[in-house]
Amino acid sequence: MRPHAPSPEGQARPGDPCAAQPRVPWVPSSRPAEPGLLQGPLHLKLRALGVCFVFLGFFFPPSGFRIIAKGVCREMPLARMLRQVAGQMLGSPACGCWMPAPPLRFLGTSPRQIPADASFHSASFSGTDQPRVLITGGLGQLGVGLANFLRKRFGKDSVILSDIRKPPDHIFHSGPFIYSDILDYKNLREIVVNNRITWLFHYSALLSAVGEANVSLARAVNITGLHNVLDVAAEHNLRLFVPSTIGAFGPSSPRNPTPDLCVQRPRTIYGVSKVHAELMGEYYHYRYGLDFRCLRYPGIISADSQPGGGTTDYAVQIFHDAIKSGKFECNLKPSTRLPMMYIDDCLRATLEVMEAPAESLSMRTYNVNAMSFTPEDLTQEVLKHIPEFQITYNVDSVRQAIADSWPMNFDDSNARKDWGWKHDFDLPELVTTMLNFYGSDTRIAQAN
């Protein structure tokens, strides 16, 4: 298989641990070289090689020998011996001692095996082509909104939403939807091949609070699933987007503001898996040329999706409850400051970084931010619209500990400099938009 062409941003950098290693062709799986069958001085090897040729010429017609020489999967043992003898004669030291050839690399202990003679026909994606998009974990907080956003840009049939859950009718009929289990490598690979996917948005993940309640499942989905996605993306030369999060930082990280590059020691399985995703994606980029792109999202506030079990989800639930009952119980302290973003800004940032020219990206993982506020700040803004609104606090110790280890504010200056990121929604615009959305929904429901 041909190697990926290197890109300017993938060249060696001072201090880069991958800088000393050239990019290599993608080889999904292989096996180590076998020990030599014939050992000894060179003249004995030549004599043995001659015997092999005579034997092959006597028992096999020329066409059969050519088939073996072309490397059919079921290689004859004698042909394998001949190949090894020739290889040892070329690579052995003068003393005639056998030197084992270095094995080809392995990518973990996955049971899947791709034939060594498999033929790949992935074409490089250029910015002028119309992308074919797959979104994994599409029924989560961001997947549906992203699908609708991208379909307006690239067309309804160019964006495929996927999940392991059954979609509601309105989502199923809004555009292509398929079943996709990221833990099933074969299923994921078939989807990419059959639908000629060129962009992959990987949103399958268990969020912070849910992940802490089921660590083993979070480890499988967030880490093993990522490995499958990376392998498929590298094999088929996809442009891959994997979201990261404020949860990728820990209590030893600078919190106000938090830069793109600093100490990252998260204390949740969600955060650990996201740091792992950032590093694995960058490794695949520098080592194999994978077009990996990643944004660290702040807390995302969305009007048209339900909270998904994250620590910042209070900032979504508060609008549901304010319209419905006029009361809200917050599980964080009133002074807990966290970076936040309205979903429209989030989706636009995601598309902008995916469309950015590769040469404009000085890094592969960026912070993005819009605003930073506390539950108390948010309450004061809601009270401007609903004066009778009441909030109480019942602090959840697990969620509070998570929030206290996260950034209070993001430094996203690199994103603004490299590819022109600029947010549209601040806190007043956010509150007005959310209350208008839920208020109109409530009035419609009451009328019905």
Side-chain angles (χ1 to χ4, degrees):
M1 179 181 174
R2 61 181 176 81
H4 295 282
S7 55
E9 76 284 0
Q11 295 175 355
R13 301 180 183 181
D16 184 357
C18 297
Q21 306 179 31
R23 289 181 178 171
V24 299
W26 175 251
V27 183
S29 61
S30 60
R31 61 182 179 185
E34 299 172 1
L37 299 179
L38 296 177
Q39 304 179 15
L42 182 60
H43 70 278
L44 294 180
K45 295 181 180 180
L46 289 173
R47 183 178 302 173
L49 185 60
V51 171
C52 291
F53 273 114
V54 172
F55 186 88
L56 287 171
F58 183 81
F59 285 95
F60 299 95
S63 61
F65 181 76
R66 282 197 299 271
I67 291 174
I68 294 175
K70 287 180 181 177
V72 174
C73 289
R74 293 185 296 180
E75 188 179 40
M76 297 294 289
L78 195 55
R80 188 184 304 123
M81 180 185 73
L82 180 60
R83 171 175 53 79
Q84 292 170 344
V85 170
Q88 290 175 33
M89 286 192 300
L90 292 175
S92 299
C95 66
C97 300
W98 173 72
M99 293 287 290
L104 295 177
R105 62 184 180 83
F106 283 82
L107 294 178
T109 57
S110 171
R112 61 183 181 271
Q113 294 293 325
I114 300 174
D117 63 342
S119 178
F120 303 126
H121 302 283
S122 300
S124 297
F125 174 80
S126 69
T128 59
D129 296 332
Q130 185 87 332
R132 294 279 300 167
V133 179
L134 174 66
I135 303 173
T136 67
L139 297 183
Q141 182 187 13
L142 297 177
V144 174
L146 180 65
N148 293 335
F149 185 73
L150 296 178
R151 284 167 179 164
K152 293 177 183 177
R153 178 67 177 272
F154 301 122
K156 176 180 176 180
D157 295 331
S158 296
V159 180
I160 300 175
L161 200 62
S162 71
D163 209 301
I164 59 173
R165 295 177 291 163
K166 181 180 178 181
D169 288 344
H170 72 280
I171 293 177
F172 182 78
H173 294 294
S174 66
F177 182 93
I178 57 177
Y179 172 88
S180 175
D181 181 359
I182 60 167
L183 298 180
D184 184 343
Y185 176 82
K186 183 175 182 291
N187 169 248
L188 186 61
R189 193 167 178 239
E190 287 175 348
I191 291 171
V192 168
V193 171
N194 292 343
N195 295 281
R196 300 171 54 248
I197 299 300
T198 55
W199 284 13
L200 199 163
F201 293 83
H202 178 51
Y203 278 95
S204 297
L206 263 67
L207 301 184
S208 54
V210 175
E212 291 306 292
N214 195 338
V215 173
S216 60
L217 181 59
R219 186 174 61 236
V221 173
N222 296 8
I223 296 179
T224 304
L226 170 76
H227 293 174
N228 289 340
V229 167
L230 286 170
D231 284 358
V232 169
E235 178 184 343
H236 297 285
N237 200 20
L238 308 184
R239 182 171 294 180
L240 174 63
F241 178 83
V242 178
S244 189
T245 168
I246 55 175
F249 298 96
S252 57
S253 305
R255 298 186 65 208
N256 192 18
T258 302
D260 286 300
L261 301 176
C262 65
V263 173
Q264 291 178 257
R265 290 293 184 272
R267 293 187 176 178
T268 65
I269 185 61
Y270 176 59
V272 169
S273 69
K274 286 304 183 180
V275 174
H276 178 77
E278 293 176 12
L279 296 179
M280 286 294 291
E282 291 183 13
Y283 173 78
Y284 270 58
H285 168 68
Y286 289 116
R287 183 66 169 162
Y288 308 119
L290 174 64
D291 192 353
F292 170 82
R293 303 178 184 212
C294 176
L295 295 180
R296 294 192 188 106
Y297 290 154
I300 303 300
I301 301 174
S302 170
D304 57 357
S305 62
Q306 295 296 317
T311 301
T312 59
D313 280 350
Y314 83 88
V316 177
Q317 190 65 47
I318 189 173
F319 296 104
H320 285 270
D321 294 356
I323 294 295
K324 184 178 179 179
S325 65
K327 299 178 181 179
F328 174 65
E329 182 178 89
C330 183
N331 51 31
L332 295 179
K333 295 177 181 178
S335 60
T336 305
R337 181 171 298 278
L338 292 169
M340 299 284 186
M341 179 182 288
Y342 185 57
I343 190 170
D344 286 11
D345 280 340
C346 171
L347 300 179
R348 184 169 54 82
T350 302
L351 178 59
E352 286 179 4
V353 77
M354 284 292 278
E355 291 187 319
E359 59 271 16
S360 71
L361 305 179
S362 64
M363 56 189 64
R364 287 285 151 171
T365 300
Y366 289 90
N367 292 344
V368 286
N369 195 23
M371 65 194 90
S372 179
F373 57 77
T374 67
E376 187 173 23
D377 295 335
L378 183 56
T379 299
Q380 292 303 313
E381 197 65 38
V382 171
L383 285 169
K384 295 178 182 179
H385 299 264
I386 308 176
E388 65 276 14
F389 174 68
Q390 298 178 5
I391 185 170
T392 57
Y393 294 92
N394 183 15
V395 177
D396 182 316
S397 59
V398 173
R399 292 177 188 247
Q400 186 64 51
I402 292 172
D404 289 342
S405 70
W406 282 358
M408 300 169 65
N409 199 7
F410 257 164
D411 176 2
D412 61 356
S413 55
N414 285 315
R416 295 175 186 269
K417 178 183 66 176
D418 288 358
W419 43 276
W421 163 240
K422 184 179 180 181
H423 71 278
D424 290 334
F425 287 81
D426 287 312
L427 183 57
E429 293 83 7
L430 166 72
V431 172
T432 300
T433 301
M434 293 290 287
L435 290 177
N436 285 343
F437 181 90
Y438 288 124
S440 62
D441 276 4
T442 299
R443 287 190 293 272
I444 292 172
Q446 290 173 346
N448 290 337

